Every structure is written in structure tokens, then in C-alpha cells.
Amino acid sequence: QCDITYCAVNQYVSANTCATCAAGTTNASGDNASGSNTQCDITYCAVNQYVSTNTCTACAAGTTNASGDNASGSNTQCDITYCAVNQYVSANTCTTCAAGTTNASGDNASGSNTQCDITYCAVNQYVASHVCTPCAVGYENAAGDDASGANTSCTADACFAALGVSCAAFSEAYVKSSNPEYSDLFGYLGVTVALAGDTLAVGARYEASNATGVNGDQSDNSVAESGAVYVFTRTGTTWTQQAYLKASNTGGKDWFGSSVALSGNTLAVGAFLEDSNARGINGNQADNSAGYSGAVYVFTRSGTTWSQQAYVKASNSQSGDYFGSSVALSGNTLAVGAASEDGRATGINGNQSDDDSGGNRGAVYVFTRAGTTWTQQAYVKSSNNGGGDNFGWSLALSGNTLAVGSVFEDSNATGINGNQADNTATSSGAVYVFTRSGTTWSQQAYVKASNTGSNDQFGYSLALVGDTIAVGARYEASNARGINGDQSDNSALASGAVYVFTRSGTTWSQQAYIKASNSTGNDPFGFSVSLTANTLAVGLPYEDSNATGINGDQSNNSATDSGAVYLFTRVGTTWTQKAYIKPPIVRPGNAFGFNVALSGTTLAVAAPYDSSNSAGINGDQTNYGASGSGAVHVLRIAP
């Protein structure tokens, strides 16, 4: 018999003949050529292979293909791999970017190597585990930290470092009256800025409208220097004007608003050039035969509405007494200074009729309220009543304690309860402390500076909280700087100082002698003072530096009389300077610091010569169209 032909590998049987498989197909050997026709198997390419001239070929690096391409058919190709977001090409492989770097999607893995971009953090961000993280409130950082590198950190901004509040929150409001006019001097001389919680009152004694009462017509400026008071309130961090107050008997040159005091929902306003000859409470306002006798107006608030509660005159009102030159409020007690009252009496409730005409000795009147009715409780004089002393120039009241400044008092005593009789230190100044038991007032202390000097004007400004008194002596002359420096070198005339006294039981003692950190002659530090439990603000309206904001450069004195405020804090019995504060926009002559008022976490600072003609809250500070209209800056500080 004939031998069967068995086909070789990659052959198949076609009409009993072994034929070669077509390209891209395969067959095992052993097909029987004497039998039926057979066929070759198609080759299907594996994953990441493509067909090239009927051959399964590996895809190039960086490309891919699904399995199943038919090698017996047409050529095929592999797909390029495009890298995902935050991947880069390394040796034709898509690789995850390192932490802190990024890359857009779409890099071609079949091509050249690529790289990721470093992430540089924005301003006020820092690197934490290669992530750009916002700085905490009150902290700041320059832009440009490399997120692919080591961790970085933020630093406290100038305000937060000094005051515990971020600079973004520090300048809370720029406050103007609703009718700013040339030379209104909003926030001017005397204590014309009062702050209690979320309420701010500001006097403008040169305002000129002929309105009377609450929210009258501001537009008729026919009564020169009649004066006005503006009340503002805060909701959250937003301030709005709540009331525009005028006297019930508005008169030219009455200077309504020359002093203000605020306690809760009660506001006292002095008009020390008011002219009526009335005496006591709610007398006849119409007879203006007692020129410059002075008056005080008490307003109260119900809800958001203010109304006048009382018209207050001295019990011995006379021409030229300047009743209302200072006012102080604490609850239901009102103290009023009449710095030019002429009575010769000393102590409490002396003879009011013994008059030294033109003596300018000064007196203080204490009134109390029961329900809505005010009555005079005491007529207070100094224990060493002297002509020209101006007892009552400044006042501070806290509970049952009253402090009275007598700015031109002349004794050469120093410290507490010294010799009042030797008047060889002209206008050195003194402060008298009185306390109340029941309804009876008595003098507790006679307070002088530790370095009494002629013309120092100790008592020019005054603040009292609990058992602490701060006293400004605007013309004190030592060349010391900072806390408890050398008081003996009086080579910096009129540089000014502030003295802090504390009480233990009934005994007062000096705790600190404070000077400006950049004290120089003729910069009267202590021109204004305000005090909370352990924080003291001191205004210096004639300071000259061109710094802005917090703790700037004090040495460039190119902004004459721009003004500054110095903030001090107490820990235990030690005082330190916490901040040197300038306005956000410094302008020569604005006198920032003319008045200061502290309440909780808020500091209000008057700049009475501010010239912007913007009205209301947060207007344009650079629109200088109303010279001397005045402004108040409300600043947020930590408690």
C-alpha cells in the first residue's frame, strides 16, 4: 500500500495536497493529506501586541492595545497612553507626581520623559505635609513656599502679635458725622468720645445747626458753635448712626457736646458755655442772663430711641462757672465738673454762697437718679481750694469712687496725702479721690505725682476703673522713656507722662510711671487716657511719625502732629507697652489720639482735625474737602 502523507507544521490539506498556511495563521503538524481538507487557525494577538505584516508585534513602550487583533488580516496599531492628571512620563511609564507637585493630564507616555510642576503656595498659606494650607486668623506668610519641600509656618501679623486680633479685623470702622462741615471738630477737646459696649457717642462742639432735640434738621447751619452729639451703634462689626442729638435750647456758642459720658442707656452731654440762669433740675432754659454758666443734658434710650430726660444746672449756677466742662456717669450717678466755679468752700456740701468772683477755683456736683428723677446729692470742693486751681477740669467715676483733677493746683507735695499748703509748684496739678458711703461723700486721698513739677498739669486727663486710677500730666518734662524710667532729668519739656495708682483697702499708692516709647519734648504724652481692668490707652495727638498701623517706625517724624496712641497692659503689678498705634492713613495735623475711649475689645480714637468730607461710616478718608470736620477711628483689640 501507499504511505499516507502527513502535513508538516503550518500546513493544511487542500485537495489531498499539503499547502502552506496563509500568513498570520498556524496549524499543528500531522494533517492526513489523503483525507478531508483541513484549515489553519487564525492567530489572535495577545494584549499589548499589534499586527505588522501578519505578525503579532509588541507595542512600543508607552502604548497599549487590547488582545484579539487578527494576524491574518490587515496591520493594526497600538494606542498611545496619555497620562492622567498629576502623573508624568518616566521611561515611557505614567508615574504619580511627587507630593507637593502637580501636572495636567495628557502627557504622551510613548514620548520623552516629562516632569511635574512644583506647587508654590499663595500669600498667607504655608506648607503642611506638602499641602498649601491657609494661615490661621491673625497669622501671615509671604507667597512662594515650595509645597514639594519641607513644612513651613506662618508668623503672627503685626496686629495679632501686639493686640491678639488680625490686622484685617483691627481697623473696624472709620466714623464721620452724618453732616461733616468745615471746623466742626468732631471728637475735639475735652472728653468728647464715650464708648460703652456697642455704643459710641461723639461730641462736635463747633457744629452749627439750629436743630433742637433728637434727629432734627441738620442742614440749617445758622447757629454757630451750638454743638451736637452723634450716637453710633454696632451690630456684629457694622456701625451705624443711631441718633443726632442737640440741646433742647440750642444756642450759639453753647458748645453742646464739649463733654460726654455714657453708661448703659444713659448719655450725659455737657455744654459748658450755655447761658441760662436756671438752677437745679429742669429749670427755665429761656433766660440767658448767666453767660457761660453751663448746663448738662441727660438723654436716655428705649430700644433704639433717644429722648432728653433732664436739663441739669448747678445749685449755685453763675456766669462763667463752666458747669459741664467735664462729666462722668456710673449707673444712676452723674458727676459734673464746673472748672471755673468760684466758691471758697472746701470739702463736701460747704457754703455755696461764699464766692470769689473770677477765682476759677472749681467745683464738682454729684447727682443721683431715682426712677427718672435726678436730684443733687453733693457739692464737692477740694480740701485745699485755691484760686485758679480749676478743680473739676477732669473727672472719673466708678461705682462709689470719684476722682477729680485739679490741673492748675500749685502745691509742691509728692505722692499721697502730702503737704497741700506749700504752693511753690505752680500748675503742677493734683487729683482728689472721694468715696461714698450710703449717700455721704468724703475725701479719701490727695494724689500728686512722684516727681511734682511746675506746669506739669498733673490731672489734665483722668481715668478710673475699680481700684486703679490713671492720671495724665501732659507737660511733665523728664527725658525718660517706657515704664518707671528716670524722672529726674527734666530736659524734655512738655514730653508728658502718665501715672498709675492703685488702692488697697483705703490706701492709694503709685504703681507705675509711664512715658512714651519715643518720648520727645513738646509731644504731650497723656493728653488723653482711658482705662479698663488691665489695659491703658494713652493719646498723644501731636506725635509726628509717618508710620501707619501697629508698631511701625517711630523715628521718621515727617508727619507733624499726625498723632499716635500707646496701648499698655498689666500683668500682676507690671505694666508693659503692648502697641504703638497709628491710623491706617497718616496725615499731618490730624491729631489722632486727641481723645481715646476703651470698652472691652474696642478702642475708639478721635482725630478731630481729619479733613475728609465723607459722611457716615467707612467713607473715603482721602477726600480732603472739609478741613477740621473730624473723625473717629474704631479699632478692635483683644481683651
Side-chain angles (χ1 to χ4, degrees):
Q1 57 183 359
C2 295
D3 295 322
I4 295 172
T5 298
Y6 292 98
C7 297
V9 66
N10 292 336
Q11 290 183 327
Y12 69 102
V13 178
S14 174
N16 301 116
T17 300
C18 288
T20 300
C21 289
T25 64
T26 60
N27 198 18
S29 61
D31 281 7
N32 185 343
S34 66
S36 301
N37 287 346
T38 60
Q39 58 186 8
C40 296
D41 298 317
I42 295 172
T43 299
Y44 293 99
C45 297
V47 67
N48 293 335
Q49 291 183 329
Y50 70 104
V51 177
S52 175
T53 59
N54 303 115
T55 301
C56 289
T57 305
C59 290
T63 63
T64 60
N65 197 22
S67 61
D69 281 9
N70 184 343
S72 67
S74 301
N75 288 346
T76 60
Q77 59 184 7
C78 297
D79 297 319
I80 295 172
T81 299
Y82 293 100
C83 298
V85 67
N86 294 334
Q87 291 184 328
Y88 69 104
V89 177
S90 176
N92 303 115
T93 301
C94 290
T95 306
T96 301
C97 290
T101 65
T102 59
N103 198 22
S105 61
D107 282 9
N108 184 344
S110 69
S112 302
N113 287 346
T114 59
Q115 58 184 8
C116 297
D117 297 319
I118 293 171
T119 299
Y120 293 101
C121 298
V123 65
N124 293 334
Q125 292 184 330
Y126 70 104
V127 178
S129 299
H130 303 294
V131 175
C132 289
T133 306
C135 294
V137 173
Y139 287 77
E140 61 187 358
N141 197 24
D145 283 7
D146 182 349
S148 68
N151 286 348
T152 59
S153 61
C154 300
T155 57
D157 67 30
C159 306
F160 194 82
L163 301 175
V165 63
S166 71
C167 285
F170 170 64
S171 293
E172 186 171 80
Y174 169 69
V175 179
K176 299 279 290 185
S177 70
S178 48
N179 61 335
E181 298 280 355
Y182 171 81
S183 291
D184 276 0
L185 297 182
F186 180 80
Y188 184 57
L189 196 63
V191 179
T192 54
V193 176
L195 184 64
D198 293 320
T199 301
L200 169 69
V202 183
R205 70 183 188 183
Y206 293 148
E207 193 267 359
S209 96
N210 69 347
T212 59
V214 180
N215 296 330
D217 179 10
Q218 305 176 28
S219 63
D220 184 344
N221 286 327
S222 59
V223 187
E225 299 182 25
S226 53
V229 170
Y230 304 78
V231 181
F232 304 86
T233 58
R234 174 174 55 192
T235 300
T237 59
T238 301
W239 288 88
T240 55
Q241 185 171 314
Q242 187 176 74
Y244 165 70
L245 305 180
K246 297 283 288 187
S248 47
N249 62 334
T250 292
K253 207 171 184 178
D254 277 1
W255 288 5
F256 176 86
S258 52
S259 58
V260 296
L262 186 62
S263 180
N265 291 312
T266 302
L267 171 67
V269 180
F272 72 84
L273 298 186
E274 190 265 1
D275 301 323
S276 96
N277 68 349
R279 292 186 173 183
I281 311 298
N282 295 329
N284 177 20
Q285 304 176 28
D287 184 343
N288 286 330
S289 59
Y292 299 169
S293 53
V296 168
Y297 303 76
V298 179
F299 297 85
T300 57
R301 176 174 53 189
S302 177
T304 60
T305 303
W306 290 88
S307 58
Q308 186 173 312
Q309 186 177 76
Y311 167 70
V312 182
K313 298 281 287 188
S315 48
N316 62 338
S317 180
Q318 290 189 339
S319 296
D321 278 0
Y322 289 2
F323 178 85
S325 53
S326 57
V327 291
L329 264 176
S330 182
N332 291 312
T333 301
L334 166 68
V336 181
S340 294
E341 191 264 0
D342 300 323
R344 291 188 177 91
T346 59
I348 311 298
N349 295 329
N351 180 9
Q352 300 179 33
S353 62
D354 183 4
D355 190 65
D356 173 19
S357 180
N360 295 334
R361 295 170 180 270
V364 172
Y365 303 77
V366 179
F367 302 86
T368 57
R369 176 173 54 189
T372 60
T373 302
W374 290 89
T375 56
Q376 185 171 314
Q377 186 177 75
Y379 167 69
V380 181
K381 300 285 283 186
S382 67
S383 49
N384 63 335
N385 184 1
D389 281 359
N390 287 135
F391 177 83
W393 179 280
S394 56
L395 285 180
L397 182 64
S398 180
N400 291 311
T401 301
L402 170 68
V404 182
S406 183
V407 70
F408 299 119
E409 191 266 1
D410 300 323
S411 96
N412 70 347
T414 59
I416 310 299
N417 296 329
N419 177 20
Q420 304 176 27
D422 184 344
N423 287 330
T424 58
T426 304
S427 298
S428 53
V431 169
Y432 303 77
V433 180
F434 301 87
T435 57
R436 176 172 54 188
S437 177
T439 59
T440 302
W441 290 90
S442 59
Q443 185 171 313
Q444 184 177 76
Y446 167 70
V447 181
K448 296 283 286 188
S450 48
N451 62 335
T452 293
S454 294
N455 298 313
D456 280 1
Q457 295 188 11
F458 178 88
Y460 182 85
S461 58
L462 195 56
L464 167 66
V465 172
D467 293 318
T468 301
I469 295 175
V471 182
R474 66 171 178 169
Y475 290 151
E476 190 268 357
S478 96
N479 70 347
R481 292 184 174 184
I483 313 296
N484 295 329
D486 178 10
Q487 304 176 25
S488 62
D489 184 343
N490 286 330
S491 60
L493 295 178
S495 54
V498 170
Y499 303 76
V500 179
F501 300 87
T502 57
R503 175 173 54 189
S504 178
T506 60
T507 302
W508 289 89
S509 58
Q510 186 172 312
Q511 185 176 77
Y513 165 71
I514 300 176
K515 298 282 287 188
S517 49
N518 60 338
S519 180
T520 60
N522 297 311
D523 271 2
F525 180 80
F527 194 93
S528 59
V529 295
S530 187
L531 187 67
T532 59
N534 291 302
T535 302
L536 168 68
V538 181
L540 205 176
Y542 301 117
E543 192 265 359
D544 301 325
S545 98
N546 69 347
T548 59
I550 302 298
N551 294 334
D553 179 10
Q554 304 177 24
S555 64
N556 186 337
N557 289 327
S558 60
T560 303
D561 297 345
S562 54
V565 171
Y566 302 75
L567 203 65
F568 301 86
T569 55
R570 174 174 56 187
V571 177
T573 60
T574 302
W575 289 88
T576 55
Q577 184 171 315
K578 190 177 182 74
Y580 164 71
I581 301 173
K582 298 282 287 187
I585 297 175
V586 168
R587 184 169 165 83
N590 273 7
F592 177 84
F594 219 96
N595 266 292
V596 292
L598 277 169
S599 179
T601 61
T602 305
L603 169 64
V605 182
Y609 293 106
D610 175 282
S611 298
S612 160
N613 68 356
S614 66
I617 311 300
N618 294 331
D620 181 4
Q621 301 183 37
T622 63
N623 190 356
Y624 305 126
S627 179
S629 55
V632 170
H633 297 262
V634 179
L635 310 175
R636 180 73 77 170
I637 64 174

